[in-house]
Amino acid sequence: MPLTDKNLLSINSLSIEQIELILDTAESFKEVSSREIKKVPTLRGKTIINLFYEPSTRTRTSFEIAAKRMSADAINISVATSSTVKGETVKDTARNLEAMKPDCLVVRHASAGIPEMLAKYVNCAVINAGDGAHEHPTQALLDIMTVKEKLGKIDGLKVVIIGDIAHSRVARSNIIGFSKLGASVVVTGPETLMPKGIEELGCTVAPDTAAAIKGADVIMMLRIQLERQGGSLLPTLREYATRWGLDTDKLLNAQKEVIILHPGPINRGVEISSEVADGRYSLILEQVTNGLAIRMALFYLLLGGTREQSD
Ligand code: CP
């Protein structure tokens, strides 16, 4: 089934078949990045604008590289030096950018729902690159791709997500995405960072890390998002690391060939020890590599590139 919407706003809105189409397309585009000449003419003549109202290293750069590897023109709006500082609204900024006829706006914003709202006001495609604590659909797609590549399936796996569930758009998109594909998703973290009713997204809540990790095939650690925590929702960072951080001792109860994921950036020694982050079970950098392939696939599927040109 092709992508029926011109936008990618959430993982929730994708069917299983559409997720599989994106994964298959990403696998075929991944090879482009290992070529000596890392460029295909697939999106020649298209224009993509990155509009990021929050900091980003992985997502913004990979959207830009994805566009350039497909021969599109990629423009990054630096919000700090844009007319946003003069008080221009997000909607006005998006409508003015659209007046220059781009084909796609890639939007990251601290408020949930901004990409969806902008999609109503512009005719070009809108991709959600993370909105508040709501969704980060391309992160979930790259995480699913990374696990599927390594273990060959998603159905039947135990996927554990640990940490600041309340503030994490990565957690929300991954709970929805992995459970949609048949994984059993278990979340755990401090009570103050566990939203009431999170089970409705398709997961169960474990009381502690030991219970959560038992038999896990995949462990996804979340960054402590101090910038989104209004008050003090945590004990000390040292206590957090002891109770909820991942180190080699805690890994003993997982499956023998467990996969460790983290969306980045990492707070080393807080949610994950360097030994685990850089160890043999970690696929953290493979996630970044796959992020590029997923974003190439989405541009191709949403912007109507021709496949013949990419071969
Ligand atoms: N995973 C992720 O969204 O990282 P960035 O904030 O660096 O884009």
Side-chain angles (χ1 to χ4, degrees):
M1 180 196 280
L3 300 188
T4 39
D5 192 353
K6 72 177 172 64
N7 310 302
L8 190 274
L9 300 173
S10 69
I11 196 97
N12 206 21
S13 59
L14 295 174
S15 66
I16 294 173
E17 293 75 20
Q18 287 171 329
I19 292 174
E20 282 168 354
L21 171 68
I22 295 167
L23 298 181
D24 290 346
T25 309
E27 283 298 345
S28 64
F29 274 112
K30 190 172 176 180
E31 178 269 332
V32 172
S33 295
S34 57
R35 293 183 193 172
E36 199 179 328
I37 309 287
K38 300 176 183 61
K39 210 169 185 82
V40 288
T42 315
L43 294 182
R44 201 162 43 195
K46 304 281 185 190
T47 303
I48 290 157
I49 299 182
N50 274 328
L51 182 57
F52 277 52
Y53 286 85
E54 281 191 317
S56 168
T57 296
R58 284 145 287 269
T59 313
R60 197 196 60 72
T61 310
S62 61
F63 270 115
E64 182 180 352
I65 293 178
K68 287 179 171 169
R69 291 215 170 140
M70 301 175 90
S71 302
D73 294 312
I75 287 92
N76 293 309
I77 303 293
S78 169
V79 168
T81 55
S82 75
S83 288
T84 301
V85 295
K86 300 180 205 163
E88 187 170 54
T89 64
V90 186
K91 179 180 155 189
D92 280 340
T93 299
R95 292 187 72 206
N96 277 270
L97 292 173
E98 208 212 12
M100 297 179 231
K101 310 296 177 203
D103 298 281
C104 182
L105 283 183
V106 180
V107 181
R108 172 172 285 191
H109 200 281
S111 298
I114 292 287
E116 194 173 348
M117 185 268 281
L118 293 183
K120 293 191 175 89
Y121 292 110
V122 297
N123 293 314
C124 67
V126 175
I127 297 180
N128 180 0
D131 61 328
H134 175 226
E135 276 239 31
H136 193 345
T138 60
Q139 180 70 43
L141 289 165
L142 73 89
D143 291 338
I144 292 168
M145 178 177 176
T146 304
V147 173
K148 198 169 174 202
E149 266 185 355
K150 184 73 177 174
L151 300 179
K153 63 172 188 174
I154 302 297
D155 190 26
L157 297 180
K158 178 175 179 181
V159 177
V160 176
I161 306 177
I162 301 177
D164 182 356
I165 307 292
H167 298 96
S168 179
R169 54 196 177 208
V170 174
R172 287 177 60 85
S173 288
N174 270 304
I175 293 167
I176 296 166
F178 275 101
S179 62
K180 198 175 267 207
L181 297 180
S184 156
V185 182
V186 177
V187 299
T188 194
E191 221 172 291
T192 48
L193 298 175
M194 188 62 65
K196 295 250 174 308
I198 188 76
E199 297 91 341
E200 285 166 26
L201 292 181
C203 62
T204 56
V205 180
D208 54 43
T209 42
I213 285 174
K214 198 159 181 237
D217 299 288
V218 178
I219 303 175
M220 182 181 302
M221 301 308 296
L222 300 175
R223 181 172 70 86
I224 283 292
Q225 302 196 31
L226 295 169
E227 77 275 21
R228 290 194 211 281
Q229 293 182 19
S232 179
L233 296 171
L234 284 177
T236 63
L237 288 183
R238 188 198 285 201
E239 190 184 338
Y240 182 88
T242 305
R243 292 190 60 193
W244 309 105
L246 190 63
D247 57 22
T248 43
D249 288 345
K250 291 199 187 114
L251 270 187
L252 293 174
N253 281 330
Q255 290 291 351
K256 210 159 155 247
E257 290 302 318
V258 66
I259 290 174
I260 308 298
L261 303 178
H262 190 303
I266 295 172
N267 295 306
R268 288 176 181 267
V270 181
E271 68 262 4
I272 191 166
S273 70
S274 285
E275 209 178 350
V276 174
D278 304 326
R280 64 177 289 245
Y281 302 113
S282 170
L283 292 183
I284 293 172
L285 294 179
E286 192 59 26
Q287 288 174 268
V288 180
T289 301
N290 286 339
L292 177 56
I294 285 288
R295 284 147 190 153
M296 290 174 85
L298 286 170
F299 283 149
Y300 171 73
L301 293 167
L302 294 174
L303 305 189
T306 54
R307 204 48 203 270
E308 294 70 33
Q309 288 180 311
S310 69
D311 291 335

